[in-house]
Amino acid sequence: MPTTSPIDIPDAFAASYGAGDAGARAWLARLPRLGAEFLDRWELSPDGPAAHGMASLVLPVRRADGTPAVLKLQQPREETSGVVAGLRTWRGAGAVRLLDHDEASGTQVLERLDASRPLSSLADDRRTLPVLAGLLARLTSAPAPEGLRPLSGIAAAMLDRAPYTAGALRDPAERRLVRICASAVAELIDEPGDRLLHWDLHEDNVLAGEREPWLAIDPEPLAGDPGFDLLPALDNRWEQVVAGGDVARTVLFRFDLLTEALGLDRRRAIGWTLGRVLQNALWDVEDGKATLEPAQVAIARTLLRRAAPGLPQG
Protein backbone atom coordinates (compact mmCIF):
# COMPACT_ATOMS: atom_id res chain seq x y z
CA MET A 1 0.00 0.00 0.00
CA PRO A 2 1.11 3.58 -0.62
CA THR A 3 2.62 5.41 2.32
CA THR A 4 2.66 9.01 3.53
CA SER A 5 5.60 8.39 5.89
CA PRO A 6 8.95 9.93 4.95
CA ILE A 7 11.46 7.50 3.52
CA ASP A 8 14.67 6.75 5.41
CA ILE A 9 17.83 8.33 4.02
CA PRO A 10 21.02 6.24 4.41
CA ASP A 11 23.47 7.94 6.76
CA ALA A 12 26.34 7.61 4.29
CA PHE A 13 24.37 9.38 1.56
CA ALA A 14 23.25 12.14 3.94
CA ALA A 15 26.84 12.70 5.06
CA SER A 16 28.38 12.75 1.58
CA TYR A 17 25.68 14.68 -0.26
CA GLY A 18 25.13 17.04 2.65
CA ALA A 19 28.76 18.10 2.35
CA GLY A 20 27.91 19.81 -0.93
CA ASP A 21 26.69 23.34 -1.54
CA ALA A 22 23.65 25.01 0.01
CA GLY A 23 21.40 23.81 -2.82
CA ALA A 24 22.43 20.19 -2.25
CA ARG A 25 21.77 20.50 1.48
CA ALA A 26 18.35 22.05 0.88
CA TRP A 27 17.40 19.26 -1.53
CA LEU A 28 18.61 16.65 0.95
CA ALA A 29 16.43 18.19 3.67
CA ARG A 30 13.37 17.89 1.40
CA LEU A 31 14.22 14.40 0.20
CA PRO A 32 12.31 12.28 2.79
CA ARG A 33 9.03 14.07 2.12
CA LEU A 34 9.69 14.26 -1.61
CA GLY A 35 10.11 10.50 -1.74
CA ALA A 36 6.95 9.91 0.26
CA GLU A 37 4.97 12.18 -2.07
CA PHE A 38 6.00 10.20 -5.13
CA LEU A 39 5.32 6.87 -3.46
CA ASP A 40 1.76 8.07 -2.98
CA ARG A 41 1.38 9.73 -6.37
CA TRP A 42 2.43 6.63 -8.29
CA GLU A 43 0.96 4.08 -5.85
CA LEU A 44 4.33 2.55 -5.08
CA SER A 45 5.07 0.31 -2.11
CA PRO A 46 8.60 0.22 -0.65
CA ASP A 47 10.18 -3.18 -1.21
CA GLY A 48 13.55 -3.01 0.50
CA PRO A 49 16.15 -0.60 1.87
CA ALA A 50 17.25 2.41 -0.15
CA ALA A 51 20.58 2.38 -1.97
CA HIS A 52 22.51 5.33 -3.31
CA GLY A 53 25.22 6.47 -5.64
CA MET A 54 27.14 9.72 -5.43
CA ALA A 55 24.19 11.92 -6.38
CA SER A 56 20.98 9.90 -6.28
CA LEU A 57 18.85 7.77 -3.97
CA VAL A 58 17.26 4.58 -5.31
CA LEU A 59 14.43 2.86 -3.46
CA PRO A 60 13.21 -0.63 -4.46
CA VAL A 61 9.41 -0.51 -4.86
CA ARG A 62 6.49 -2.43 -6.26
CA ARG A 63 3.94 -0.80 -8.52
CA ALA A 64 0.22 -1.12 -7.95
CA ASP A 65 0.11 -4.28 -10.09
CA GLY A 66 2.97 -5.86 -8.14
CA THR A 67 5.64 -5.22 -10.74
CA PRO A 68 9.09 -4.68 -9.17
CA ALA A 69 10.64 -1.31 -9.96
CA VAL A 70 12.83 1.36 -8.38
CA LEU A 71 12.10 4.95 -7.44
CA LYS A 72 15.08 7.16 -8.28
CA LEU A 73 15.39 10.59 -6.70
CA GLN A 74 18.10 13.04 -7.67
CA GLN A 75 18.60 16.78 -7.56
CA PRO A 76 18.00 18.30 -11.01
CA ARG A 77 21.36 19.15 -12.59
CA GLU A 78 22.45 20.24 -16.05
CA GLU A 79 24.27 16.99 -16.78
CA THR A 80 21.15 14.91 -16.09
CA SER A 81 18.71 17.19 -17.89
CA GLY A 82 18.53 14.85 -20.90
CA VAL A 83 18.03 11.57 -19.02
CA VAL A 84 14.31 11.21 -19.75
CA ALA A 85 14.76 12.07 -23.43
CA GLY A 86 17.61 9.58 -23.70
CA LEU A 87 15.81 6.74 -21.97
CA ARG A 88 12.69 7.36 -24.05
CA THR A 89 14.76 7.20 -27.24
CA TRP A 90 16.46 3.94 -26.27
CA ARG A 91 13.15 2.40 -25.11
CA GLY A 92 14.98 -0.26 -23.14
CA ALA A 93 17.25 -1.35 -26.01
CA GLY A 94 20.50 -1.80 -24.10
CA ALA A 95 19.43 0.51 -21.27
CA VAL A 96 17.17 0.41 -18.24
CA ARG A 97 13.51 1.12 -19.04
CA LEU A 98 11.83 4.33 -17.90
CA LEU A 99 8.38 3.54 -16.47
CA ASP A 100 7.31 6.98 -15.21
CA HIS A 101 8.87 10.34 -14.38
CA ASP A 102 8.28 13.81 -13.00
CA GLU A 103 9.95 16.44 -15.14
CA ALA A 104 10.13 19.22 -12.56
CA SER A 105 11.91 17.19 -9.87
CA GLY A 106 13.79 14.72 -12.07
CA THR A 107 12.21 11.81 -10.17
CA GLN A 108 11.94 8.56 -12.12
CA VAL A 109 10.40 5.12 -11.84
CA LEU A 110 12.65 2.60 -13.55
CA GLU A 111 12.55 -1.12 -14.16
CA ARG A 112 14.32 -3.01 -11.42
CA LEU A 113 17.66 -4.57 -12.32
CA ASP A 114 19.94 -6.66 -10.11
CA ALA A 115 21.96 -4.06 -8.21
CA SER A 116 23.95 -6.85 -6.55
CA ARG A 117 25.35 -7.87 -9.96
CA PRO A 118 27.11 -4.97 -11.69
CA LEU A 119 29.27 -5.85 -14.66
CA SER A 120 32.29 -5.11 -12.45
CA SER A 121 31.42 -8.22 -10.40
CA LEU A 122 32.80 -10.39 -13.21
CA ALA A 123 36.42 -11.22 -12.51
CA ASP A 124 37.74 -11.11 -16.07
CA ASP A 125 37.76 -7.93 -18.15
CA ARG A 126 38.03 -10.10 -21.26
CA ARG A 127 34.36 -10.83 -20.57
CA THR A 128 33.33 -7.33 -19.54
CA LEU A 129 34.92 -5.33 -22.36
CA PRO A 130 32.87 -6.99 -25.14
CA VAL A 131 29.73 -6.28 -23.10
CA LEU A 132 30.64 -2.60 -22.82
CA ALA A 133 31.49 -2.46 -26.51
CA GLY A 134 28.20 -4.07 -27.49
CA LEU A 135 26.16 -1.75 -25.31
CA LEU A 136 28.00 1.33 -26.57
CA ALA A 137 27.43 0.24 -30.17
CA ARG A 138 23.70 -0.13 -29.56
CA LEU A 139 23.25 3.02 -27.54
CA THR A 140 25.23 5.32 -29.82
CA SER A 141 23.50 3.97 -32.95
CA ALA A 142 20.43 6.02 -32.00
CA PRO A 143 20.13 9.58 -33.32
CA ALA A 144 20.05 12.09 -30.48
CA PRO A 145 16.55 13.45 -29.79
CA GLU A 146 15.89 17.09 -30.52
CA GLY A 147 16.85 19.52 -27.78
CA LEU A 148 19.55 17.38 -26.16
CA ARG A 149 22.73 19.12 -24.95
CA PRO A 150 25.19 19.20 -27.87
CA LEU A 151 28.81 18.13 -27.64
CA SER A 152 29.73 21.23 -29.64
CA GLY A 153 28.80 23.52 -26.74
CA ILE A 154 30.64 21.39 -24.21
CA ALA A 155 33.71 21.26 -26.44
CA ALA A 156 33.70 25.03 -26.91
CA ALA A 157 33.55 25.56 -23.15
CA MET A 158 36.42 23.11 -22.70
CA LEU A 159 38.57 25.05 -25.18
CA ASP A 160 37.83 28.31 -23.40
CA ARG A 161 39.05 26.87 -20.07
CA ALA A 162 41.98 24.85 -21.41
CA PRO A 163 44.64 27.61 -21.09
CA TYR A 164 43.82 28.16 -17.42
CA THR A 165 43.78 24.42 -16.78
CA ALA A 166 47.17 23.90 -18.40
CA GLY A 167 48.62 26.75 -16.41
CA ALA A 168 47.39 25.30 -13.12
CA LEU A 169 49.34 22.05 -13.55
CA ARG A 170 52.75 21.65 -11.93
CA ASP A 171 54.36 19.36 -14.48
CA PRO A 172 55.42 21.04 -17.77
CA ALA A 173 54.86 17.74 -19.60
CA GLU A 174 51.28 17.58 -18.33
CA ARG A 175 50.72 21.21 -19.33
CA ARG A 176 51.88 20.34 -22.82
CA LEU A 177 49.62 17.30 -22.89
CA VAL A 178 46.57 19.39 -22.03
CA ARG A 179 47.42 21.82 -24.84
CA ILE A 180 47.75 18.90 -27.29
CA CYS A 181 44.36 17.56 -26.18
CA ALA A 182 42.83 20.99 -26.71
CA SER A 183 44.31 21.15 -30.21
CA ALA A 184 42.75 17.79 -31.02
CA VAL A 185 39.34 19.05 -29.91
CA ALA A 186 39.74 22.26 -31.90
CA GLU A 187 40.28 20.21 -35.05
CA LEU A 188 37.01 18.30 -34.50
CA ILE A 189 34.68 20.89 -33.02
CA ASP A 190 33.05 21.74 -36.36
CA GLU A 191 31.93 18.10 -36.71
CA PRO A 192 30.66 17.22 -33.23
CA GLY A 193 28.32 14.40 -34.31
CA ASP A 194 24.63 13.75 -33.74
CA ARG A 195 24.40 10.38 -31.97
CA LEU A 196 22.87 9.76 -28.56
CA LEU A 197 25.73 9.36 -26.08
CA HIS A 198 25.60 7.80 -22.61
CA TRP A 199 28.64 9.84 -21.42
CA ASP A 200 29.48 7.58 -18.45
CA LEU A 201 29.35 3.94 -19.51
CA HIS A 202 31.71 1.89 -17.35
CA GLU A 203 31.41 -1.46 -15.58
CA ASP A 204 29.62 -0.11 -12.49
CA ASN A 205 26.97 1.54 -14.67
CA VAL A 206 25.91 -1.79 -16.17
CA LEU A 207 23.64 -4.12 -14.18
CA ALA A 208 22.34 -7.61 -14.78
CA GLY A 209 18.74 -7.81 -15.96
CA GLU A 210 16.08 -10.39 -16.74
CA ARG A 211 14.93 -9.35 -20.21
CA GLU A 212 18.57 -8.80 -21.27
CA PRO A 213 21.71 -10.12 -19.59
CA TRP A 214 23.18 -6.63 -19.10
CA LEU A 215 21.66 -3.14 -19.26
CA ALA A 216 23.14 0.35 -18.93
CA ILE A 217 22.06 2.68 -16.13
CA ASP A 218 22.74 6.27 -15.05
CA PRO A 219 23.21 7.96 -18.44
CA GLU A 220 24.05 11.63 -18.74
CA PRO A 221 22.93 11.97 -22.36
CA LEU A 222 24.59 14.18 -24.95
CA ALA A 223 24.25 14.64 -28.69
CA GLY A 224 27.63 14.03 -30.27
CA ASP A 225 30.32 11.79 -31.72
CA PRO A 226 30.51 8.25 -30.25
CA GLY A 227 34.27 8.68 -29.91
CA PHE A 228 33.54 10.93 -26.94
CA ASP A 229 31.98 7.94 -25.16
CA LEU A 230 34.99 5.60 -25.10
CA LEU A 231 37.19 6.75 -22.22
CA PRO A 232 35.17 5.31 -19.28
CA ALA A 233 35.56 1.87 -20.86
CA LEU A 234 39.28 2.40 -21.53
CA ASP A 235 40.30 3.09 -17.95
CA ASN A 236 38.26 0.41 -16.18
CA ARG A 237 40.25 -1.72 -13.67
CA TRP A 238 43.30 0.48 -14.07
CA GLU A 239 45.19 -1.21 -11.25
CA GLN A 240 44.96 -4.48 -13.19
CA VAL A 241 46.12 -2.77 -16.37
CA VAL A 242 49.23 -1.47 -14.59
CA ALA A 243 49.85 -4.80 -12.89
CA GLY A 244 49.77 -6.52 -16.27
CA GLY A 245 53.04 -4.81 -17.16
CA ASP A 246 52.17 -3.54 -20.67
CA VAL A 247 49.87 -0.55 -20.31
CA ALA A 248 50.10 0.60 -23.93
CA ARG A 249 49.26 -2.84 -25.31
CA THR A 250 46.17 -3.11 -23.10
CA VAL A 251 44.99 0.41 -23.93
CA LEU A 252 45.33 -0.21 -27.66
CA PHE A 253 43.62 -3.60 -27.41
CA ARG A 254 40.66 -1.99 -25.66
CA PHE A 255 40.60 0.97 -28.02
CA ASP A 256 40.68 -1.22 -31.13
CA LEU A 257 37.95 -3.52 -29.81
CA LEU A 258 35.69 -0.58 -28.95
CA THR A 259 36.21 1.32 -32.19
CA GLU A 260 35.67 -1.82 -34.27
CA ALA A 261 32.42 -2.61 -32.43
CA LEU A 262 31.16 0.94 -32.96
CA GLY A 263 32.45 1.22 -36.52
CA LEU A 264 34.40 4.40 -35.76
CA ASP A 265 37.12 6.20 -37.67
CA ARG A 266 40.04 5.67 -35.32
CA ARG A 267 41.72 9.03 -35.87
CA ARG A 268 38.51 10.85 -34.98
CA ALA A 269 37.98 8.53 -32.03
CA ILE A 270 41.48 9.34 -30.78
CA GLY A 271 40.71 13.05 -31.04
CA TRP A 272 37.47 12.83 -29.09
CA THR A 273 39.05 10.53 -26.49
CA LEU A 274 41.72 13.21 -25.99
CA GLY A 275 38.75 15.54 -25.52
CA ARG A 276 37.57 13.39 -22.62
CA VAL A 277 41.06 13.55 -21.12
CA LEU A 278 40.87 17.32 -21.43
CA GLN A 279 37.47 17.36 -19.77
CA ASN A 280 38.73 15.27 -16.85
CA ALA A 281 41.73 17.57 -16.52
CA LEU A 282 39.39 20.58 -16.29
CA TRP A 283 37.38 18.88 -13.56
CA ASP A 284 40.51 17.88 -11.63
CA VAL A 285 41.83 21.44 -11.65
CA GLU A 286 38.41 22.73 -10.56
CA ASP A 287 38.71 20.34 -7.61
CA GLY A 288 42.03 21.92 -6.64
CA LYS A 289 44.39 19.30 -8.08
CA ALA A 290 47.66 20.29 -9.74
CA THR A 291 48.45 16.94 -11.40
CA LEU A 292 46.59 14.71 -13.83
CA GLU A 293 45.42 11.19 -13.06
CA PRO A 294 48.10 8.69 -14.21
CA ALA A 295 45.53 6.64 -16.14
CA GLN A 296 44.48 9.69 -18.16
CA VAL A 297 48.09 10.55 -18.97
CA ALA A 298 48.91 6.99 -20.02
CA ILE A 299 45.85 6.64 -22.24
CA ALA A 300 46.41 10.02 -23.91
CA ARG A 301 50.08 9.37 -24.60
CA THR A 302 49.40 5.87 -25.93
CA LEU A 303 46.76 7.14 -28.35
CA LEU A 304 48.94 10.05 -29.43
CA ARG A 305 51.75 7.62 -30.29
CA ARG A 306 49.22 5.62 -32.33
CA ALA A 307 48.04 8.76 -34.16
CA ALA A 308 51.45 10.33 -34.72
CA PRO A 309 54.37 8.11 -33.74
CA GLY A 310 56.94 10.91 -34.04
CA LEU A 311 55.01 13.49 -32.03
CA PRO A 312 56.66 14.50 -28.72
CA GLN A 313 54.48 13.46 -25.77
CA GLY A 314 55.62 16.13 -23.32
Side-chain angles (χ1 to χ4, degrees), residues 231-305:
L231 186 59
L234 289 175
D235 67 3
N236 268 310
R237 306 182 190 231
W238 192 251
E239 296 82 1
Q240 293 183 22
V241 174
V242 173
D246 195 337
V247 169
R249 180 179 181 181
T250 301
V251 168
L252 292 177
F253 171 79
R254 291 178 173 186
F255 179 78
D256 288 347
L257 189 151
L258 290 166
T259 52
E260 182 175 355
L262 275 66
L264 301 183
D265 176 90
R266 284 179 174 156
R267 290 190 65 86
R268 286 181 60 85
I270 287 173
W272 281 121
T273 300
L274 294 176
R276 285 299 291 270
V277 172
L278 174 61
Q279 185 174 62
N280 287 337
L282 300 177
W283 289 339
D284 285 346
V285 167
E286 285 179 357
D287 289 341
K289 298 178 181 177
T291 59
L292 301 180
E293 291 293 330
Q296 307 287 302
V297 173
I299 289 170
R301 288 178 174 164
T302 297
L303 294 181
L304 283 167
R305 283 192 292 270

Side-chain angles (χ1 to χ4, degrees), residues 160-287:
D160 286 344
R161 293 155 56 200
Y164 169 79
T165 299
L169 297 172
R170 284 197 295 262
D171 185 344
E174 291 188 357
R175 293 198 291 268
R176 175 178 172 80
L177 184 61
V178 165
R179 295 186 186 106
I180 292 172
C181 290
S183 295
V185 173
E187 291 181 5
L188 295 171
I189 195 169
D190 290 335
E191 298 180 69
D194 63 356
R195 299 291 95 183
L196 176 54
L197 308 185
H198 182 285
W199 201 6
D200 195 26
L201 193 65
H202 52 77
E203 290 179 356
D204 285 325
N205 274 347
V206 177
L207 298 180
E210 292 187 0
R211 60 182 179 84
E212 292 195 24
W214 300 103
L215 291 163
I217 63 168
D218 289 346
E220 298 179 0
L222 292 177
D225 190 298
F228 198 65
D229 243 3
L230 303 183
L231 186 59
L234 289 175
D235 67 3
N236 268 310
R237 306 182 190 231
W238 192 251
E239 296 82 1
Q240 293 183 22
V241 174
V242 173
D246 195 337
V247 169
R249 180 179 181 181
T250 301
V251 168
L252 292 177
F253 171 79
R254 291 178 173 186
F255 179 78
D256 288 347
L257 189 151
L258 290 166
T259 52
E260 182 175 355
L262 275 66
L264 301 183
D265 176 90
R266 284 179 174 156
R267 290 190 65 86
R268 286 181 60 85
I270 287 173
W272 281 121
T273 300
L274 294 176
R276 285 299 291 270
V277 172
L278 174 61
Q279 185 174 62
N280 287 337
L282 300 177
W283 289 339
D284 285 346
V285 167
E286 285 179 357
D287 289 341

